[in-house]
Amino acid sequence: MYAIVEIAGQQFKVERGVKVYVHRLDANEGAKVEFDKVLLVDNGGKVQIGTPSIDGAKVAATVLSHLKGDKVIVFKKKRRKGYQKSNGHRQQLTQILVQGILGKGETLKDEIKVEKKAPKADAPVVEAKKAAPKKAAAKSEEAPAKKKAAPKKAAKKTEE
C-alpha cells in the first residue's frame, strides 16, 4: 500500500515505515503530524484518485529530526565583463517517518518505534595508533641503490 501526498508544496510517494526528507516543518522532534492532502492511494491494486485530494484520507508521520541539506553553489558569470558572483545555499529539511496511511475515519493501530541514537559523549573513545616512523638506514638497505648520473664534461672552447 502506498500513497502520493503533498507535503509543504511537494508531492511524495510514501509507504508505511519509509523515512522521507521534506522542507522544514513547524513541529518539534518526536511530534506526530498528519497530512491530509492525499492525492492518490493504491491499496493492493485498488487505486483511489482524488479530485484534487481524497476526502478523509490522511498520512500519519513522526518527526525524527531537523537538519540541513547539502550545500548548493550558485555561480554567475558574464564573459568578458569581469562579472563573477558566487553564492551558496543549504536547504532546511525535516526527516519524517511515515507511520501509516489512514482512510476515512480510521485511526492508527500500532506505531513504528523510533530508535534514538545515543549521545556522542557516551560513546567510547577509540584512539588511532600512529605508525612508528621508519628509520632512513633501514629503508636504504632494503631498496637497491640508485645509480648516480655521470658528471657532465665541460665543453671545450675552440680558439680561432
Side-chain angles (χ1 to χ4, degrees):
M1 177 177 199
Y2 71 90
I4 296 178
V5 63
E6 186 174 328
I7 303 171
Q10 289 185 320
Q11 296 177 4
F12 295 93
K13 179 182 176 183
V14 296
E15 296 180 44
R16 186 175 194 272
V18 173
K19 293 179 183 178
V20 181
Y21 292 99
V22 298
H23 287 299
R24 183 77 177 233
L25 300 175
D26 290 330
N28 295 329
E29 291 184 14
K32 292 169 181 41
V33 290
E34 289 185 349
F35 306 105
D36 57 352
K37 281 195 169 184
V38 179
L39 307 175
L40 180 138
V41 174
D42 182 3
N43 190 1
K46 183 181 174 188
V47 179
Q48 285 182 296
I49 299 174
T51 54
S53 62
I54 300 171
D55 294 333
K58 295 180 186 176
V59 173
T62 304
V63 176
L64 296 179
S65 63
H66 297 291
L67 49 111
K68 287 185 177 181
D70 294 335
K71 189 166 198 174
V72 178
I73 304 295
V74 179
F75 183 73
K76 298 178 182 179
K77 179 179 179 174
K78 293 188 180 177
R79 62 187 197 156
R80 297 189 299 273
K81 306 297 180 202
Y83 172 77
Q84 291 182 357
K85 186 173 183 178
S86 180
N87 198 355
H89 175 73
R90 289 186 73 181
Q91 183 67 40
Q92 298 284 329
L93 300 174
T94 300
Q95 184 182 23
I96 61 172
L97 174 66
V98 178
Q99 297 288 343
I101 301 167
L102 309 173
K104 191 170 189 175
E106 290 183 25
T107 58
L108 195 60
K109 296 173 186 170
D110 56 335
E111 292 187 15
I112 299 171
K113 299 289 183 186
V114 179
E115 295 179 17
K116 294 192 177 186
K117 294 181 182 177
K120 291 183 180 179
D122 295 341
V125 177
V126 179
E127 294 181 16
K129 293 182 180 179
K130 292 185 177 180
K134 294 182 180 179
K135 294 181 180 177
K139 188 175 183 181
S140 64
E141 291 174 9
E142 295 172 6
K146 293 184 180 178
K147 294 181 180 178
K148 292 185 179 180
K152 294 183 180 179
K153 296 180 181 177
K156 294 182 182 179
K157 293 184 181 178
T158 56
E159 293 181 19
E160 293 183 42

